[in-house]
Amino acid sequence: EVQLQAFGGGFVQAGGSLRLSCAASGFTSDDSAIAWFRQAPGKEREGVSCISSNDGSKYYRDSVKGRFTISRDNAENTVYLQMNSLKPEDTAVYYCVTDFEWRCGADIATVRAYAMDYWGKGTLVTVSS
């Protein structure tokens, strides 16, 4: 059974940092791309970042470039999202997502959430000003 579980959300002040973890099972993260999506209040879910299963290439939406870093630990089958210099605009529920027929790429910001097959339980990130 494919399962994804996100951890690490919390409440931080603007400029602070959080590290999110995604524990995966039922597949290996080096064989299937994993993405982070988020949903802010009243907004649609949007792609934040993804890491390719092909070569480990990393992609980010423009608004988080230079602040967020995605990485993976294949031995632990875990993907991370290090979030630095957090802004109030980053406040959202963050989800760990995968789809075996999807390939991570530079268009992560426009990937439609409904097209993704597997979703983990979200973790809430709240950034105060």
Side-chain angles (χ1 to χ4, degrees):
E1 179 183 2
V2 173
Q3 291 188 337
L4 299 161
Q5 183 61 257
F7 304 93
F11 188 97
V12 298
Q13 292 184 334
S17 298
L18 286 172
R19 181 179 172 90
L20 305 184
S21 301
C22 172
S25 62
F27 69 101
T28 55
S29 57
D30 61 339
D31 288 335
S32 182
I34 292 180
W36 289 96
F37 276 64
R38 67 186 181 186
Q39 186 168 28
K43 304 295 184 180
E44 294 184 359
R45 294 185 183 185
E46 62 183 21
V48 178
S49 179
C50 63
I51 185 165
S52 173
S53 62
N54 302 114
D55 57 6
S57 297
K58 304 169 183 179
Y59 301 93
Y60 306 89
R61 68 182 300 113
D62 287 345
S63 62
V64 307
K65 288 180 179 177
R67 300 188 297 119
F68 291 10
T69 303
I70 190 169
S71 62
R72 69 185 181 192
D73 183 336
N74 289 338
E76 298 292 332
N77 210 29
T78 301
V79 173
Y80 304 94
L81 186 68
Q82 178 67 45
M83 305 185 295
N84 298 326
S85 302
L86 283 162
K87 303 176 180 180
E89 303 89 85
D90 297 316
T91 295
V93 176
Y94 284 71
Y95 299 89
C96 181
V97 181
T98 195
D99 188 317
F100 298 142
E101 298 181 349
W102 170 73
R103 304 183 79 84
C104 165
D107 291 335
I108 180 64
T110 58
V111 173
R112 299 183 184 276
Y114 67 78
M116 308 301 290
D117 287 341
Y118 300 100
W119 292 76
K121 182 182 295 183
T123 186
L124 177 62
V125 172
T126 302
V127 185
S128 66
S129 59

